[in-house]
């Protein structure tokens, strides 16, 4: 297991908005980090890409999605650094077979890969804490939850996400399932990116 893990506002926002858009379905996606270099003891997750909300375990579609994501973000110096999932039932935050297998596949290319489970029962309109459980592989090949002090959330992120949830912006989030139904639905979510830029800039001005 590596050292600390930091989650940027964009990464956490897209994960939680994705889960909030489909509260009665399991959802999945990947998180992105800067490529190798710098301080390897602290991994910073800077963005997330929502994948599926219909059937999470379809291997052919997962392969296509991961390949396209890798190609798209390579020029930006970003790599797939982990997998996130929210289970269907509100009290279920334990990774299932699909979550474990996808996370293990990502870990084949990134030793510090993380597995993030969204704690549905803690997802609300006024977030006080990040409703996530972050795990990494240990030396014996087991996924182990990280201690809370080793997980850092970007300052102001919870306030920004709460604002977006209250404004029902989760309905604007697109994942790969949406894209396959309608190619005009961009899984890169540029409209969310633009909104985040505005809100984070406003939050910084208040500081």
């Amino acid at each position: 297991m590596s050292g600390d893990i930091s989650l940027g506002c964009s990464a956490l926002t897209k994960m939680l908005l994705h889960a909030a858009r489909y509260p009665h379905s399991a959802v999945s996606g990947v998180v992105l980090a800067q490529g190798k270099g710098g301080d390897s003891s602290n991994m910073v997750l800077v963005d997330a890409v929502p994948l599926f909300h219909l059937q999470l375990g379809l291997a052919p579609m997962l392969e296509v999605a991961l390949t396209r994501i890798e190609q798209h973000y390579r020029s930006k110096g970003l790599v797939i650094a982990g997998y996130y999932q929210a289970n269907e039932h509100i009290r279920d935050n334990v990774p299932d077979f699909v979550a474990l297998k996808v996370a293990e596949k990502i870990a084949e290319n990134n030793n510090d890969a993380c597995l993030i489970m969204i704690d549905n029962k803690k997802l609300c309109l006024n977030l006080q804490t990040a409703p996530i459980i972050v795990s990494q592989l240990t030396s014996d090949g087991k996924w182990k939850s990280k201690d809370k002090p080793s997980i850092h959330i970007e300052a102001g992120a919870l306030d920004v996400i709460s604002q977006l949830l209250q404004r029902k912006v989760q309905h604007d989030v697109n994942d790969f399932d949406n894209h396959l139904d309608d190619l005009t639905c961009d899984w890169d979510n540029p409209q969310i990116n633009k909104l985040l830029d505005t809100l984070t800039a406003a939050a910084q001005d208040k500081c």
Side-chain angles (χ1 to χ4, degrees), residues 95-131:
D96 58 11
F97 176 80
V98 172
L100 293 173
K101 296 305 290 185
V102 179
E104 287 170 6
K105 178 178 177 60
I106 293 172
E108 291 175 1
N109 297 317
N110 188 329
N111 293 331
D112 295 329
C114 60
L115 169 58
I116 301 174
M117 296 301 298
I118 296 174
D119 193 346
N120 293 316
K121 64 181 181 295
K122 295 182 179 179
L123 181 57
C124 61
L125 296 179
N126 291 289
L127 295 169
Q128 302 300 313
T129 60

Side-chain angles (χ1 to χ4, degrees), residues 33-44 77 79 112:
Q34 291 290 338
K36 291 296 183 179
D39 182 8
S40 61
S41 66
N42 182 34
M43 182 165 68
V44 181
V79 297
D112 295 329

Side-chain angles (χ1 to χ4, degrees), residues 5 122 129-130 132-134 145-153:
I5 294 179
K122 295 182 179 179
T129 60
I132 56 174
I133 302 167
V134 183
S145 298
K146 301 279 289 183
D147 295 331
K148 288 184 178 180
S150 67
I151 305 298
H152 308 282
I153 307 301

Side-chain angles (χ1 to χ4, degrees), residues 148-175:
K148 288 184 178 180
S150 67
I151 305 298
H152 308 282
I153 307 301
E154 182 178 344
L158 296 178
D159 288 338
V160 168
I161 299 168
S162 296
Q163 289 181 55
L164 295 176
L165 289 169
Q166 292 164 18
R167 292 161 59 175
K168 302 185 185 303
V169 176
Q170 62 265 32
H171 298 296
D172 297 329
V173 173
N174 293 315
D175 60 16

Side-chain angles (χ1 to χ4, degrees), residues 14 21 48-50 68 72-73 76 172-180 182-193:
K14 291 176 184 176
R21 179 172 183 181
V49 180
R68 291 192 60 184
H72 180 77
Y73 286 100
K76 301 180 181 180
D172 297 329
V173 173
N174 293 315
D175 60 16
F176 260 88
D177 278 330
N178 301 130
H179 179 71
L180 293 173
D182 181 354
L183 296 181
T184 64
C185 295
D186 191 341
W187 48 263
D188 190 37
N189 288 287
Q191 76 286 4
I192 301 295
N193 296 334

